[in-house]
Amino acid sequence: SADSPSLKVVTEHPVLGTSTVEHVAWVGCARALSQLIPSLSLWEGPQVESWVDSASNTLLPVLSSGGDSLATVVKDFAAKIDASLGDGKFLTEKMTAADVCVSIWLAIALEKCGTKDIPEKVSNWAKATLTALKPYSPVVASLCAVFTGEASSIPAELADNALILKLTEFGLDFEAYTHTTCMTAEELVENVKLPSDKETHTKNLFFKDKKHGLFLVVHATSTNMNTKQLGKLLNLDGKVNMRLAEAEFLDEKLGVKPGCVGPLCIVNDASNEIKLVLDQALMGYDYIHSHPLRNDASVKITPATLQEYLTK
C-alpha cells in the first residue's frame, strides 16, 4: 500500500516498566523492525535509510495507478539499482533492510505492471534476496515466481492463511490450491477431482464424549467408518457415548467453521485436550488433500509430511 503505515512497539522492562513508542512512515517502521534484533545489523549506515525512503516514495505511490506510468517508473528504478549494484551482491556492503524492502516492493511492482524487462543483474539480486527470505513468508515465496518464472505453489488469496503460514514456518513441502466451496466430503469428491486414486480428500468428524473427552477423527473418503464401533477401536473403557459436537463448540475449540475442518487445524487446540485420530488407510496414499481452515481451498501433502507437521 502507498498509504503511510504506523507501528506501535510496546516494551516491558522489569524495573523501568512498560514503554510505548509509535513509528510512522515506511522508513520509520522499517527502521524500528530492523532494530528489534540488533545482532542482525539490518539498519547500518545512511544508505539503508536512503534506499528504503527512495523505494517507498518511488514505487509504492504508482502501484495504485498501474498502466504505462508504472512500467516506466519500475524500469527507471531498476536501472538505478543496476548502477548501484556494480559488481556487488547487495545495495550496500552487506544484506540489510534496504535489500529486503526494495526487492519486495520491486517484485510487487513488476507483478502489477506485468513486465520482466529489467537488467539481469537486478533480477538475480532480487531473486537471491527473496529466496533467502522465502522460508519465513508465503507472501515472499509467491513473489519469487516473478524472477524465477516458476508458478507459486501458494495462491495469493491464501498467503496470509494461518495454517499456510504454519506449514511455511515449519519448512514443510506442500501445495495449496483453491476450488469451489464444498461443505461436505461428498461434495469434495464430486466437485474437486483428484488426478489419481493414490490421492485422497479427507472426511473429518469432531466428537465429544462426556467421559472420554474430545476427538477429531480423520479418515479417507473411501473408508467406511462405523462410528458406533469407534469406542471399541480406540480401546475406550466403560460407557461410550460419542456425539458430533455443535458448530459453536467446534469454533471454540479449533477456531474453524463446519465444513472447513481438517487434520491441520489441530494446531489450534491450545489447551491440548483434543485427541486426533487418523485413519491408517491415509498412510497408504501418495498425497492427502485437506482444508486449511476454509472450505474453498485445500492443501496437498504427503502422509509423511502430515505426520511431521503433527509432531512439530
Side-chain angles (χ1 to χ4, degrees):
S1 171
D3 297 335
S4 181
S6 63
L7 173 70
K8 184 179 293 185
V9 178
V10 179
T11 305
E12 294 185 357
H13 192 280
V15 177
L16 301 178
T18 301
S19 63
T20 302
V21 179
E22 187 165 354
H23 304 271
V24 297
W26 284 107
V27 169
C29 292
R31 185 195 302 113
L33 288 171
S34 300
Q35 293 173 344
L36 287 176
I37 310 177
S39 60
L40 294 180
S41 303
L42 291 174
W43 199 275
E44 284 191 349
Q47 284 185 301
V48 175
E49 181 160 333
S50 176
W51 271 110
V52 174
D53 186 52
S54 176
S56 64
N57 288 326
T58 304
L59 296 176
L60 296 183
V62 294
L63 282 177
S64 58
S65 61
D68 295 336
S69 61
L70 174 58
T72 300
V73 169
V74 171
K75 290 179 182 178
D76 289 346
F77 198 80
K80 177 181 176 180
I81 296 173
D82 185 55
S84 178
L85 286 172
D87 296 326
K89 297 180 180 179
F90 309 111
L91 294 177
T92 57
E93 294 181 356
K94 62 178 184 177
M95 189 173 186
T96 65
D99 298 280
V100 174
C101 294
V102 177
S103 62
I104 290 174
W105 292 335
L106 178 65
I108 294 172
L110 286 169
E111 191 174 45
K112 175 86 173 182
C113 67
T115 183
K116 294 184 179 179
D117 185 18
I118 61 172
E120 182 179 2
K121 190 193 308 177
V122 177
S123 180
N124 290 338
W125 156 79
K127 180 168 62 177
T129 303
L130 295 175
T131 299
L133 300 171
K134 187 176 178 180
Y136 306 102
S137 168
V139 176
V140 172
S142 67
L143 290 176
C144 283
V146 175
F147 302 101
T148 63
E150 300 173 353
S152 171
S153 62
I154 304 171
E157 56 266 54
L158 297 178
D160 61 351
N161 180 277
L163 293 189
I164 299 296
L165 292 171
K166 186 64 68 175
L167 286 161
T168 303
E169 176 189 334
F170 291 162
L172 301 176
D173 291 328
F174 68 95
E175 294 179 25
Y177 60 95
T178 57
H179 52 67
T180 185
T181 300
C182 297
M183 282 298 298
T184 67
E186 290 72 24
E187 288 182 25
L188 268 173
V189 171
E190 178 65 26
N191 299 320
V192 185
K193 303 294 185 182
L194 299 180
S196 164
D197 59 5
K198 294 299 291 179
E199 302 185 25
T200 183
H201 293 295
T202 64
K203 186 164 186 175
N204 313 276
L205 303 169
F206 187 45
F207 292 104
K208 64 177 181 178
D209 182 280
K210 189 173 182 179
K211 177 181 178 181
H212 300 286
L214 305 173
F215 298 85
L216 176 57
V217 179
V218 180
H219 64 84
T221 51
S222 60
T223 298
N224 293 317
M225 177 70 68
N226 185 345
T227 56
K228 293 183 179 179
Q229 296 297 316
L230 195 55
K232 183 177 180 181
L233 291 172
L234 296 176
N235 297 316
L236 301 180
D237 297 327
K239 183 179 179 181
V240 177
N241 185 23
M242 285 194 173
R243 297 181 179 275
L244 288 173
E246 301 85 358
E248 296 77 10
F249 202 68
L250 183 63
D251 190 27
E252 175 190 342
K253 298 297 182 180
L254 285 173
V256 67
K257 304 295 184 184
C260 304
V261 187
L264 299 175
C265 72
I266 197 67
V267 296
N268 287 346
D269 177 24
S271 58
N272 199 31
E273 60 181 315
I274 300 171
K275 301 175 185 69
L276 176 63
V277 180
L278 292 179
D279 176 12
Q280 183 61 39
L282 287 171
M283 301 301 109
Y285 286 90
D286 290 343
Y287 292 101
I288 298 168
H289 297 246
S290 186
H291 291 318
L293 303 178
R294 48 191 287 179
N295 57 3
D296 61 350
S298 289
V299 170
K300 173 184 175 181
I301 54 177
T302 65
T305 299
L306 174 59
Q307 289 181 310
E308 186 178 355
Y309 171 87
L310 296 173
T311 60
K312 291 288 187 179

